Structures are given as structure tokens and as C-alpha cells.
Amino acid sequence: MRNIIIGSRRSNLALTQTQWVIDQLNKVSDEYSFDVKKIVTKGDQILDVTLSKVGGKGLFVKEIEQAMYNHEIDMAVHSMKDMPSQVPEGLTIGCVPEREDHRDAFISEDHVKLDDLKEGALIGTSSLRRGAQLQAYRPDLQVQWIRGNIETRLRKLKEENFDAIILAAAGLKRMGWSTELVTEFLDPEICLPAVGQGALALECREDDEDLLQLINKINNEYTARTVQAERKFLSLLEGSCSVPIAGYAVLEEDEVVLQALVSSSDGKTVLKETVRSKDPIEAGEKAAELLINRGAKKLVEEAKEELEGQ
Ligand SMILES: NCc1[nH]cc(CCC(=O)O)c1CC(=O)O
């Protein structure tokens, strides 16, 4: 019996996701035991500024990847949307399990719906993507950055003067919290999710064939193909942490249908495309090409300059 050591961030969400994966793996094999090793990442330590100013998503995975290289852990369970578009050499995403809810969840004081919020209402989010799309939909809304894990943000909704916050539905559902809390799940037409939102990435060493074989048993082909399209699109728009960027794909018959969006931070310029292809990579490439032709790279450059000027 082999013991697999899984590295996890110490947040309740990360630990819950890791435990969910262990439960799934236990269902498909009884030849393994699992230990969870908690790892504190830079992203967990920096709580006072928006992530886009300190280097973005890599912050949640670097230390964990290092522990994998050092053989301190064998595998890691990440939120797909926290994964940079390139996986470092020697490591691989060996499995993408079935995606949880892809949508954003709108949570307001007294359950007032987005359309019914008073003029000028204050929305708390740490996501450029959510802020921009909400302001594109309702230009009167004000957006203020809010950080911290799910519990902290929910506390801030009560204690500070936010009228509403937005969180990923997937995180809430995995924690078993959604029904009482969520005012409404936002349709992707209003708020297109982050690339990979709701999906998990199981990362391990590329040469660990035994482990790869095990985790492949809980791979979900539908999620893997759609996320592949979304991530290809993301990888072709560099500097994507400084600009609102979103992507969500579904399968229709054997075709990947990918919606992709890049916008300015204030939501005044929104570029959006829907593309179809049987090949997920091609879908991602097409979406990127169409958006770049419409000026997406310029939006990224402008956003970078703005961040550097601050
Ligand atoms: N940005 C942090 C993060 N990374 C993954 C999730 C939730 C789960 C998911 O989207 O898969 C969250 C919290 C949130 O955005 O509300």
C-alpha cells in the first residue's frame, strides 16, 4: 500500500477540496492511503493589497510546486483558476475532476437582487473581472476591493458598509454553504466566470506514473476539454492578471463552445467573443485571435501601465 502525501493550502476551502479528492480516489482504489500536508503560500500571507499588484496567481502555487520537486509531497489539489497558464517543467496537471458550479454567486444584505440594488450601491470584490462586468451591467454601482478568505469576506459584508459581495459559487457549494447565503447565481451573460472557475487541477510529478494512473481514474473528460479551451485562450493573453479576463466553455455535441472576454477595469470597454471548434486548443486560439484583433492586447498594455504608475 502506497501512502500519497498531498500538499494543500491551509484554508478551509483548500482542505475541503483536498478531502473531496481523497474521497473520490478512495472510491476507485483501495491500494493507497493519503496524508495531507498543509503549506502556507505567499498568496495566503499577503492580505492587504489586490493580488494583481503583487504578482497574481502564481502566489498560491509556487511553494506547493517546490515541495513537489523536493519530494516532500507527491501531489497537490489546486483550484484551477489559481493555476498560472504554464505548468513548470517536470510537473503536470494529471487529472481534472468534474467541475463544480462555474458561476459567480451574488450575496447581498437582506437578499436584494442585483437588479434591485439601490443606485450607487457598494459592491465588494477582489476580482477585476467581477468588478468590471458588474459596472458594465450597472454603471452606477461602486466597487471596492475586499480581500480575505470566504469567511472573512462574509464577515465584512455584515460589519463593513458593503451592500453586496460576489464569490465563486463553487467554493460556497464545496463548503456546503450556498443555499442560505446566495441571493442569486449570476448568469454568464452578466458575469462570465474566470477561466477554470469551479474546476480543480490535480498536479503531480510528470514521472510519477503510478500516481498518474490512479488520478486519471477520476479525470472528467468534459471538464478537461472545456477547461483546456479556456486555458489556451488565457495563455495567449499575457499579463492577464492586470486586466479583467474571463472564459467559459461548454460542449455542444462534440464541439467546444467558448465564450471569452477581455475588458477595461472600469467595464467601459468590453470585448467579447463566442467561438466553436471540435478542438479545444483551436477554440482557445480562435477566441484569443479575435479578441487581440479587436484590441485586447492594447487593453492589457494600458492596464499594466496603470498598475505600474500606482
Ligand atoms: N480567488 C480565490 C479562489 N480560488 C478559487 C475559489 C473558489 C473555487 C473556484 O472558483 O474554483 C476562490 C474564491 C472565490 O473566487 O470566491
Side-chain angles (χ1 to χ4, degrees):
M1 181 129 150
R2 178 176 168 195
N3 188 49
I4 308 275
I5 305 174
I6 307 184
S8 173
R9 291 168 57 198
R10 61 177 177 178
S11 73
N12 284 333
L13 176 60
L15 291 166
T16 302
Q17 289 178 165
T18 299
Q19 190 54 53
W20 182 84
V21 167
I22 292 174
D23 293 343
Q24 303 309 305
L25 292 175
N26 275 327
K27 281 186 206 163
V28 295
S29 173
D30 54 10
E31 286 168 38
Y32 297 84
S33 59
F34 301 94
D35 275 329
V36 178
K37 185 171 175 180
K38 294 181 200 170
I39 296 174
V40 179
T41 68
K42 270 231 175 60
D44 298 313
Q45 289 166 330
I46 303 170
L47 291 170
D48 53 346
V49 283
T50 57
L51 277 181
S52 49
K53 286 185 197 160
V54 290
K57 0 181 107 185
L59 293 176
F60 289 117
V61 303
K62 245 203 182 117
E63 284 90 344
I64 295 181
E65 289 176 335
Q66 194 56 51
M68 241 175 305
Y69 281 126
N70 298 348
H71 288 251
E72 290 158 34
I73 61 171
D74 299 304
M75 178 180 126
V77 177
H78 305 282
S79 291
M80 183 66 82
K81 77 170 185 192
D82 297 335
M83 293 291 278
S85 55
Q86 304 293 341
V87 176
E89 208 168 312
L91 302 179
T92 183
I93 297 178
C95 163
V96 182
E98 185 174 6
R99 187 181 334 224
E100 237 306 347
D101 199 323
H102 58 278
R103 294 170 297 176
D104 283 315
F106 178 82
I107 303 167
S108 63
E109 287 268 74
D110 307 321
H111 281 284
V112 179
K113 294 221 172 171
L114 174 58
D115 285 349
D116 300 328
L117 278 183
K118 65 173 190 268
E119 174 118 12
L122 184 63
I123 312 292
T125 174
S126 58
S127 148
L128 290 172
R129 176 187 62 80
R130 291 173 182 147
Q133 290 189 86
L134 251 72
Q135 284 185 312
Y137 183 69
R138 285 249 335 231
D140 64 294
L141 296 179
Q142 295 182 65
V143 173
Q144 195 177 305
W145 301 131
I146 183 175
R147 280 228 53 205
N149 59 29
I150 301 178
E151 293 94 324
T152 308
R153 293 189 210 184
L154 291 169
R155 182 170 50 74
K156 287 182 176 172
L157 173 63
K158 289 270 163 301
E159 290 173 3
E160 298 178 15
N161 58 352
F162 295 106
D163 296 293
I165 60 170
I166 303 168
L167 296 169
L172 297 168
K173 289 196 171 175
R174 288 193 194 278
M175 300 293 286
W177 287 348
S178 70
T179 37
E180 313 97 82
L181 283 172
V182 176
T183 307
E184 59 187 317
F185 294 101
L186 297 176
D187 192 280
E189 290 303 319
I190 293 174
C191 197
L192 195 65
V195 163
Q197 183 156 303
L200 301 177
L202 274 51
E203 189 182 24
C204 66
R205 288 179 298 274
E206 206 167 50
D207 59 4
D208 193 344
E209 277 161 33
D210 174 59
L211 181 54
L212 280 167
Q213 210 169 40
L214 171 69
I215 62 181
N216 185 51
K217 292 186 178 154
I218 63 163
N219 189 64
N220 182 279
E221 212 36 55
Y222 187 110
T223 305
R225 283 187 75 199
T226 48
V227 164
Q228 195 181 21
E230 296 163 17
R231 284 173 61 77
K232 184 66 201 182
F233 157 67
L234 182 68
S235 74
L236 293 171
L237 282 148
E238 296 158 40
S240 48
C241 273
S242 50
V243 71
I245 182 159
Y248 176 60
V250 294
L251 294 186
E252 283 178 13
E253 317 250 313
D254 58 348
E255 250 185 354
V256 178
V257 182
L258 170 65
Q259 287 180 275
L261 174 150
V262 178
S263 84
S264 61
S265 305
D266 58 11
K268 286 186 180 147
T269 309
V270 179
L271 308 176
K272 194 172 171 185
E273 293 287 348
T274 303
V275 300
R276 299 170 164 267
S277 171
K278 289 198 169 132
D279 176 17
I281 297 294
E282 191 182 80
E285 286 170 350
K286 266 199 209 166
E289 190 188 320
L290 288 171
L291 288 172
I292 288 168
N293 285 343
R294 290 176 59 194
K297 279 264 156 91
K298 212 172 129 227
L299 284 178
V300 174
E301 287 313 314
E302 281 167 8
K304 268 195 196 155
E305 277 162 30
E306 206 175 298
L307 279 173
E308 276 152 20
Q310 274 173 12

